[in-house]
């Protein structure tokens, strides 16, 4: 089950992430090269751009999540097996429904303004009721998934970004100890 939390990061860190990682850069990876073919519909969907985060940035973020009593990862040492990336969804892009194989995952929204008319919401399917849940992107708010060693996340995805702006999200994936070499943002 996913959990929605507001004000995930200290505001200074959220502002820094927004300022430093918001634009699409030439060094960003393409979803065509970085994701499996299902997630890009065999490279027929518009590209999504992935900026892999340096380990020191990921450590700053995970240290906060580890030490914050309001975080689902408070005091959880497994969070040290976390990779991070900023995923940038240009106008027209989307992410098909899928399941992550990561032990834990987090999406933190970095857009300062985003309306329902912009599309690009986070959607997930409740496994018990099959009801689709829709989360509207809101700056510094996040969706957390905390699984177990033998589960995958519920089905989730992102409908088409209808805005002319890029929808930007910080993605964190905590890997099972036997799978720590899996690069951030790779769906299996």
């Amino acid at each position: 089950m996913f959990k929605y939390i507001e004000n995930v990061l200290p505001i200074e860190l959220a502002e820094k992430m927004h300022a430093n990682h918001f634009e699409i850069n030439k060094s960003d990876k393409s979803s065509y090269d970085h994701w499996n073919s299902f997630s890009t519909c065999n490279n027929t969907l518009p590209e999504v751009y992935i900026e892999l985060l340096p380990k020191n940035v990921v450590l700053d973020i995970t240290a906060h999540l580890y030490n914050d009593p309001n975080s689902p990862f408070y005091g959880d040492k497994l969070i040290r097996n976390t990779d991070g990336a900023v995923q940038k969804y240009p106008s027209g892009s989307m992410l098909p429904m899928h399941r992550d194989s990561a032990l834990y995952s987090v999406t933190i929204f970095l857009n300062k303004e985003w309306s329902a008319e912009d599309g690009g919401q986070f959607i997930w399917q409740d496994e018990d009721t099959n009801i689709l849940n829709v989360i509207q992107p809101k700056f510094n708010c996040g969706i957390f998934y905390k699984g177990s060693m033998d589960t995958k996340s519920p089905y989730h995805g992102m409908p088409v970004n209808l805005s002319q702006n890029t929808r930007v999200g910080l993605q964190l994936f905590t890997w099972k100890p036997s799978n720590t070499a899996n690069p951030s943002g790779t769906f299996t």
Side-chain angles (χ1 to χ4, degrees), residues 38-55:
F38 169 80
S39 297
T40 63
C41 292
N42 292 317
N43 296 345
T44 61
L45 294 176
E47 282 182 286
V48 173
Y49 297 92
I50 300 126
E51 180 182 351
L52 300 177
L53 294 175
K55 196 64 178 174

Side-chain angles (χ1 to χ4, degrees), residues 8-159:
V8 174
L9 300 173
I11 193 63
E12 303 81 24
L13 182 53
E15 292 283 356
K16 181 179 176 182
M17 293 299 300
H18 173 82
N20 293 340
H21 303 284
F22 202 74
E23 300 297 324
I24 295 174
N25 301 303
K26 290 180 182 180
S27 61
D28 290 346
K29 309 287 184 198
S30 167
S31 56
Y32 292 175
D33 300 324
H34 203 64
W35 292 351
N36 67 35
S37 60
F38 169 80
S39 297
T40 63
C41 292
N42 292 317
N43 296 345
T44 61
L45 294 176
E47 282 182 286
V48 173
Y49 297 92
I50 300 126
E51 180 182 351
L52 300 177
L53 294 175
K55 196 64 178 174
N56 66 314
V57 173
V58 174
L59 287 173
D60 285 347
I61 296 165
T62 57
H64 169 73
L65 296 175
Y66 178 84
N67 291 304
D68 180 0
N70 297 316
S71 166
F73 307 126
Y74 176 66
D76 189 333
K77 292 181 182 178
L78 288 176
I79 201 165
R80 69 178 170 248
N81 297 323
T82 299
D83 290 319
V86 175
Q87 294 181 351
K88 304 165 186 180
Y89 296 84
S91 182
S93 62
M94 64 168 292
L95 181 60
M97 296 291 278
H98 65 282
R99 298 176 80 167
D100 294 335
S101 59
L103 182 61
Y104 309 153
S105 62
V106 180
T107 299
I108 302 171
F109 303 113
L110 296 178
N111 290 82
K112 295 247 178 143
E113 294 182 20
W114 202 263
S115 71
E117 293 78 29
D118 292 330
Q121 294 88 352
F122 183 96
I123 57 173
W124 62 275
Q125 184 175 9
D126 185 291
E127 293 180 317
D128 296 327
T129 65
N130 287 330
I131 292 174
L132 284 180
N133 298 275
V134 179
I135 304 296
Q136 179 64 37
K138 182 178 174 186
F139 180 69
N140 197 23
C141 294
I143 309 298
F144 289 75
Y145 169 73
K146 191 170 183 181
S148 64
M149 291 293 182
D150 59 347
T151 62
K152 286 189 172 190
S153 70
Y155 282 99
H156 61 284
M158 186 194 97

